Amino acid sequence: MPMYRCRRQSVRFECCDPLHRREPVLNLRNVDLNLLVVLDALLNERNVSRAGERIGLSQSAVSAALARLRDMFHDPLLVRVGRDLALTRNAEELIVPLRETLDRIETKLLQKPHFDPGADVRTFSISASDYAGLVLLAPLVRAVAAEAPNVTIHLLPRSRDPARILQANQADLVIEPSELFGDSEFLSAALMSDRWLCALDADNPAVREGEITQEQFLRLPHLVYGIGRDRQLNLADQYLAQLGIQRQIDVTVESFLLAPFLIQGTQLVTHVLERAAKRLIPTSSIRLVESPFDVPDIHEAMFWHPRHTTDPGHLWLRERLKAIAKELDAAE
């Protein structure tokens, strides 16, 4: 994060009537923007020493800056709780708007009028499930390696709250089924759809034909995909739950890609997405059959914060992902 030069802050007081004095008003023209960089580090680290390491300042310099910040905001910002520091309510409310403001400043200062993937240095963070990682991001990584040698891609696990990580700028893109993301102020673009199949061990004796009936499906033990402590179900299992279908769930897992390997040698049945499952069949002894229930398809999309829309590098990344999705559809 660049350090910004500006005059030291001052506070002026105004009175709106002779009997009541107004709260102090910050004169932003006199605010030292370096203090906001320090504040951002403090709000994230909640530790004076680590905040200093993050922005290259000594502990004493950060402590002095914190004293000035407390005076500026008329709030302690960080308070001692035992051996730790905790944020005040005002400090908590500053986290997102402060980060957004500094991001906009940094982006504007560093932004180029165009992006050259063959020469420019960039880092992008993408949050996605392991399913999207296998189907979409693996081809993207290969494309970046060939076309953009100075671009680094950070692959982040799927978040239980994808809107929050976009708002906090913890990810440049989120790849998520549009059915799960819901309505929001974030921008999006469709990538691909996929359908649900049932996966069983290749030698499962309970299902010997090329299809599975509803009765057979309900008699078998199940493996289901869930994320987070509350085990948020995937869309197929959400659909079955909405139908009121009761099943014997023996295993839950937070990885789509582990499911085919976990059902090997068992009588477990699970719903899997066709594009990923077909890639895993050569490495696992499973078979795929049509689901006995009319489970709706999923529709993967990429989501991003409007702050990135006109960024040439971000635009290149989005267009590259759309091209990969189109190539996948053409290869089906």
Side-chain angles (χ1 to χ4, degrees):
M1 173 64 66
M3 302 293 281
Y4 310 99
R5 298 296 179 190
C6 195
R7 289 180 293 169
R8 295 183 62 175
Q9 64 93 13
S10 64
V11 178
R12 59 184 174 87
F13 295 86
E14 296 178 347
C15 290
C16 56
D17 69 51
L19 297 179
H20 298 88
R21 188 176 68 181
R22 294 176 60 185
E23 289 297 314
V25 179
L26 283 176
N27 185 343
L28 292 177
R29 289 176 299 176
N30 296 326
V31 171
D32 182 350
L33 295 184
N34 289 320
L35 289 178
L36 301 184
V37 177
V38 177
L39 178 58
D40 178 62
L42 285 166
L43 295 179
N44 282 275
E45 298 294 342
R46 306 185 187 198
N47 180 283
V48 172
S49 298
R50 290 199 301 270
E53 293 173 0
R54 179 171 178 156
I55 56 178
L57 292 178
S58 66
Q59 182 175 341
S60 59
V62 175
S63 296
L66 177 58
R68 293 176 61 193
L69 286 162
R70 285 168 167 164
D71 182 59
M72 179 192 303
F73 287 98
H74 304 279
D75 186 272
L77 300 174
L78 290 96
V79 295
R80 180 70 60 183
V81 179
R83 300 179 62 180
D84 301 318
L85 291 176
L87 301 185
T88 65
R89 180 176 178 180
N90 287 338
E92 291 277 4
E93 293 176 349
L94 284 169
I95 294 175
V96 171
L98 177 59
R99 178 94 301 270
E100 288 182 341
T101 299
L102 294 178
D103 281 339
R104 282 196 293 268
I105 294 172
E106 186 176 28
T107 299
K108 184 57 65 175
L109 291 176
L110 300 179
Q111 184 172 306
K112 295 182 179 181
H114 68 281
F115 177 73
D116 180 0
D120 288 350
V121 177
R122 282 293 298 267
T123 298
F124 299 107
S125 296
I126 305 174
S127 171
S129 67
D130 54 358
Y131 159 78
L134 175 65
V135 176
L136 275 168
L137 298 184
L140 175 68
V141 168
R142 291 191 290 270
V144 168
E147 303 167 19
N150 298 318
V151 168
T152 299
I153 303 291
H154 291 304
L155 301 182
L156 309 177
R158 178 177 179 256
S159 171
R160 182 66 176 79
D161 188 358
R164 181 188 62 79
I165 66 172
L166 286 178
Q167 186 67 47
N169 206 30
Q170 294 173 352
D172 296 294
L173 277 177
V174 163
I175 297 177
E176 180 84 354
S178 56
E179 295 88 349
L180 289 178
F181 200 97
D183 295 330
S184 74
E185 73 274 20
F186 299 107
L187 303 176
S188 66
L191 291 173
M192 65 182 193
S193 62
D194 205 347
R195 69 189 190 111
W196 296 95
L197 299 174
C198 284
L200 310 97
D201 180 76
D203 298 320
N204 190 321
V207 182
R208 297 191 179 278
E209 303 298 328
E211 61 181 25
I212 182 172
T213 66
Q214 291 187 5
E215 291 73 21
Q216 290 171 325
F217 180 85
L218 295 176
R219 280 201 303 267
L220 290 171
H222 288 249
L223 177 148
V224 302
Y225 170 87
I227 185 170
R229 293 182 179 179
D230 59 349
R231 304 295 185 207
Q232 181 196 42
L233 296 176
N234 67 48
L235 288 168
D237 291 311
Q238 286 186 32
Y239 175 75
L240 296 181
Q242 290 166 6
L243 294 179
I245 294 173
Q246 300 295 318
R247 296 172 293 156
Q248 175 188 330
I249 297 175
D250 281 10
V251 180
T252 65
V253 63
E254 289 200 24
S255 169
F256 275 115
L257 304 190
L258 279 178
F261 302 98
L262 292 175
I263 65 175
Q264 288 182 169
T266 75
Q267 292 203 19
L268 290 166
V269 62
T270 188
H271 274 98
V272 294
L273 288 162
E274 184 176 25
R275 291 178 190 263
K278 285 186 174 179
R279 287 165 173 76
L280 296 174
I281 283 178
T283 61
S284 61
S285 57
I286 65 168
R287 56 186 164 127
L288 303 175
V289 295
E290 296 288 335
S291 174
F293 296 92
D294 189 18
V295 181
D297 293 349
I298 70 161
H299 301 87
E300 291 282 334
M302 57 180 167
F303 298 83
W304 67 93
H305 196 286
R307 71 169 75 93
H308 297 307
T309 298
T310 59
D311 174 3
H314 200 279
L315 177 61
W316 169 82
L317 178 66
R318 300 195 307 266
E319 292 300 319
R320 201 66 193 83
L321 271 169
K322 285 194 284 187
I324 287 171
K326 188 174 181 180
E327 292 167 5
L328 292 173
D329 283 338
E332 290 293 324

